[in-house]
Amino acid sequence: QVQLVESGGGLVQTGGSLRISCAASGRTLSSDVMAWFRQAPGKEREFVARVTWSGASTYYADSVKGRFTITRDNAKNTVYLQMISLKPEDTAVYYCASKRAAAGRYDYWGQGTQVTVSS
């Protein structure tokens, strides 16, 4: 079993920066791939970014490419999402998730952290 806890959310102005974190515990060897998703009020959950165990392979949604960076520190069992040039449309609850490489869907989810970008 894997437990994920997000932190670091808050209120920032348009154009500002923020780094959010996801701390993993439990059976972390099951977390071959870790990812960030987000969900705005009244909207569907959407994929943001993912990273493999080694950190060598990353993938981003087009909406955040060039502005967000996902990194992974396995020694600390922590995944980060560095966000720059934030826009009001980035406002959402951000969730981290993990899965085994062979799994079709993400197995474990955190409770989310709120990111609000003021206009």
Side-chain angles (χ1 to χ4, degrees), residues 8 37 57 65 105 109:
F37 291 78
S57 180
K65 193 174 299 181
R105 303 177 69 88
W109 294 83

Side-chain angles (χ1 to χ4, degrees), residues 40-110:
K43 299 180 67 177
E44 297 293 323
R45 180 186 65 194
E46 66 174 344
F47 167 81
V48 176
R50 68 170 180 258
V51 61
T52 57
W53 187 90
S54 69
S57 180
T58 59
Y59 184 77
Y60 299 90
D62 288 341
S63 60
V64 306
K65 193 174 299 181
R67 299 189 299 119
F68 290 11
T69 303
I70 184 170
T71 57
R72 183 171 186 168
D73 186 340
N74 291 331
K76 297 180 179 179
N77 292 319
T78 301
V79 173
Y80 305 94
L81 186 68
Q82 178 67 56
M83 303 177 286
I84 65 171
S85 301
L86 283 162
K87 307 172 181 179
E89 50 263 46
D90 294 319
T91 295
V93 176
Y94 284 70
Y95 299 91
C96 64
S98 70
K99 73 178 188 75
R100 294 159 294 175
R105 303 177 69 88
Y106 286 86
D107 305 295
Y108 305 103
W109 294 83

